Amino acid sequence: MAAYAALVSLMHIIDDLESHHSPPISLDKQQIQSLTENVMFLQEFLEAYTSSVSDEADPFEMRIADVAYAAEDAIESHIVAKIQLRRSRETICSRFLSCFRAEEEMKLFRDVQNVIQEMDQIKSLAMQRNTEKVVLHDTRRSFVSASSATGKNSSGMVVWSEVVVNGILERLVSDQLERQVIPITGMGGIGKTTLAKTIYSKKIIEQRFDVCAWATISQQYNIWEILCELVSQATKKSKEQLSEKSEDELGLELYQYFSGRRFLIVMDDMWSIDAWDRIQRFFPENENCSRILVTTRLSYLSSQLNNNYSLQMEFLDEVRSWELFSKIVFGVGSCPHELEKIGKEIVENCRGLPLSIVVVAGILRNREHTLGVWESIRKNLASEVNLENDKHCLKLLKMSYSHLPVYLKPCFLYMGVFEEDDLVRVSTLVKLWVSEGFLKPMNGKSLETIAIEFLKDLSKKDGFYHVIGQSSPRCISSQRRIVIPRNTPKTKVLDDLQSMPRARSIISEYGSVPRIKNSGLLRTLHAYNKFRYLEDERHVIKSLPSQYVNLRHLAVRVGSMSSIFTSFTRLWNLHILIVSCRKEFTAPGEIWRMPQLRHIEMKGIFYLPEPTSDDVVIMENLLVLEGISNFKCSEEVVKRIPNIKKLGINYIWRGGIEQDDYYCLNNIKSLCKLESFHVYWFGFRAAAYSLTFPQSLKKLTLRMNYGFEWEKILEKIGSMPLLEKFMLWEGCFGTGKWEMVEGQFPSLKYLGLHWCPSLKHWTAESNSIFPCLEKLGLVNMEELKEIPSQIGDIPTLKKIWMRDCGESAVMCAKEIVEEQVELQGEDLPFHVQVQLRSKNEALVQSLAGPNFEVSVLPY
C-alpha cells in the first residue's frame, strides 16, 4: 500500500531531522506537531481501513499518498537548496545570500502549510467515512504466506497422488542409458515446480545420481546466469569465483564436470525452445542414464523436448481439493460442521487448482472461522469462477494481497523491483526496506530485526514502482521508484529518467546510472551485485553527482573512491554504504560524524581513519562494518560503535608499525554486541596473537597467513559459549596435531577447516565433542591422516563435506560411516560427500555406498 508506506517514510524524515546531531535544516515546531498528529491519525485510519475498490488503486488511498509525497518533496527539496547554498557562500555576496535564504525558508513554510491543510481535509473525510474500527492484532508471527504452503501443507500431505510421483521416479531411475529429457507440463499454479522439488529431494535421487543441479529459466532468461548457477551447484564453487568467466567458459567447465558423471538437471519454468537449444549443448551424452527434468506451461514445447513422453499435470479432484483445503486451514483438526457446506462451495470455486486452494486456505487460516467471514470469501470467488485461468490466478493473488496486514503490503509490493526468478539476498532486501523508510520502529527493536520478522510473515496498479521500458498506470513524472532491468537500451533509460523529477529510488541491473533531473531527491541508488560484471567497465559509476544530498542507500561499483567521498560530507542522512573499488583509499575523518550510518561494506583496500577526540559522535545505529583494512580498534573507536553486530577486517602488512598490539586487538572483546567477526590476516604474525573475542560472538571466520600457530588461540575460541559457526583458513599447526578437549565448542553447529596442510592428526581425548555440531567441512586438508571417530556419535550431525582431502582422511570418514551403519542401520541421520581429484576409478567405486557420496573433480 503506497499510502501507508508514504506516511511511514514521511515520519522517518521528520524523526531524522529531529534526532540528527547537526540537521541540514530545521522545521517550524508548530508545523512539526501538526504534521505528526495528522500522519499518526492517517496511519491508524489505514490500519483499520477496508477499500471498496477491487481492481484499480483506491483514489482515497492515493490522495493520502500524494499529500505525504508532497510533504517529502517540500522538505527534501529545501535540504538540497540549503546544502547547495552552503557550498556557494564564498562566491555569493552576503546580502544576496541572506535574501535567498529567507525566501527559501518562506517557501518551505508555505509548502508545508499547504500539505497540512490538505491533510486536515483528508482527515475530515476519513472521520466522515463509515469505516468499522477494528482492533489490529499483532499478526506478524501468525501470518502464513501462500508460498509457504505449496506442495505439502503443514501436516505434510502431498497434493498429488503417489502414482504421479512414482511415474516420474521410474523414468528418472530407469536403466535406459541415453540421456533423457522428461517434461512436466500444466498451467500456472498447478504445482509443476513443487512436484519437481519433491522429486528432486528424494533420497533415491541423491543415491542414484553423481551430481544434481537446478536452474530456473523463466521468460526473460539469461544464459550466463543459468550456466553460472549450474556450475556453482555442481562444483560447489561460489558465484563470486565464477563471476569473471565468460558464457562459453562456464559452459565448457560444466561440460567437463558432467562428463563421465551420471547427472540430473532440473530446468524449471522453460518458455522457449531457444533456451533449451542454447544450454543443452553443454550437457554431455554420457550413455550412463543421465536425466533432465523440465517444467513448462507450454504443451507444444514438451513435444519438442520429448515426443514420446511428458507428464500433463491434472487438476485436483473434489476429494483431494477438500483434503488440501482442510489440512491448511485446520491443521490436524477438522472443519466445524456449520462451516463444511460453505467451505466445500469455496473449494469448488477454486476449480481444482492447487494454487487457488492454497491461497484461499492461507487467507482463511488466519481469519475468524465464522459464517460471515467465509461467506465474503465465497462471494469473491464465485464472481471470478468463469474467468480465464491466468486472470483467475491474478484475482486470487490480489485477494491474498488485500488480506495482508497493512504494514506488510508495501514490503510485498517492493519485491516486484527484482527480476522474475531472481535469487534475492535477505540482507539486500532488508537494507532496501530500511532505506526506503517502510518500517515503523516498535518495541525497541532495530529496523533490521523488524524487517526480518516481516519477511518471515510474508501491484503494480498501485503505481508503487515503474519499470523502464514498460508502461505505467500512473503519470510517469510522478514515479518515485524506478527499476532498470538488465539489457535495457541506453536511449530508453536516458529518456525515461529525464521524465521522472520526483524519483526517490533507482534499482538497477543495467549498470551505470545516468544522471536525472532534480537528482538531489534521490534516496536509494542500488546498482551493485557482488557476483556480476566484475570486469565490465560499463557497470562502474564514474562520479557521484554533488546534488545527491538525500541519499540513504548507496550501493555501487566505482572506478575511484574519490568519486564517492568528494561529496561525502553532504550525505547528511546516509544509512547504507556499499562500494566496490579496485584502488586503495582512506575515508575522510567526517565519516565518524555521520550517526545515521547503519551499514558500511567495502570491497577493495579501504582504510578507516581513527576518530578524533573532539566533536564526539556516537554511531549508535552502526551495525555492520565490513571490508575495512588495518582497522585500529582503539578505545575511542570502541566507544564510537557500541552496537556493532558484524565486523569484517583485512590486515595487510605494511612494515614497521605492527609490533606488539598496534591495532589494539585486545579491545575487540569490548564490543559486547558483536555476533559475527571475520578476520583476514596478511600482516605481522605476532600481533595477531593479541586477538580477543567477546562472549556474544556467534560466527567467527579467521584466515591467517602461513606460520600463524592455531594452537595458541584455539583454546580461547573453544571456550566461547555462543559460537555457532567457526571457519579456520590456512595458518599452521606447529605440532601437526589438534587434540579436542571435553567441554570445548558447546554451541558449535558448523566447523570448516580450509587449506591447513600442517594439520596431520586430529584426535579427541573425550567421547563427547561438539555436542551441537550439524555440518563439518574439510577443504584441501591433504596431509590430514585422521578424523576423530567420536564425530560419528554426535546426535545432531547432518553432513560431512570433504573436498581435495588426502586418501587417509577420506578412508577415516568412510570408517566413521561404516561404524555408524553397524550401530544404527543404513538410514543414518547424516551423510558424507567427498570430492576427489583421484584418477583411481577403482578407489572411487570402492568408496561409494549408502550415506557416502563420492565424485571426481576435474584436473
Side-chain angles (χ1 to χ4, degrees), residues 496-516:
D496 277 16
L497 286 180
Q498 302 317 311
S499 304
M500 301 180 187
R502 297 184 184 180
R504 291 303 200 280
S505 302
I506 296 179
I507 311 294
S508 176
E509 286 282 356
Y510 165 82
S512 58
V513 179
R515 299 189 183 192
I516 61 176

Side-chain angles (χ1 to χ4, degrees), residues 689-751:
Y689 295 122
S690 301
L691 273 171
T692 59
F693 310 100
Q695 296 295 291
S696 57
L697 210 60
K698 294 181 180 179
K699 297 179 182 179
L700 177 63
T701 299
L702 299 176
R703 186 169 188 169
M704 300 300 193
N705 53 2
Y706 187 76
F708 179 89
E709 297 184 13
W710 289 113
E711 294 100 321
K712 296 183 179 180
I713 200 171
L714 279 175
E715 185 175 347
K716 58 183 175 182
I717 294 174
S719 67
M720 288 191 286
L722 303 179
L723 189 66
E724 296 180 355
K725 184 175 182 178
F726 176 41
M727 295 182 68
L728 175 156
W729 292 66
E730 301 181 48
C732 77
F733 285 80
T735 62
K737 300 178 181 178
W738 183 15
E739 185 174 40
M740 301 298 304
V741 179
E742 186 174 7
Q744 289 185 325
F745 300 99
S747 302
L748 198 68
K749 295 180 180 180
Y750 178 86
L751 173 63

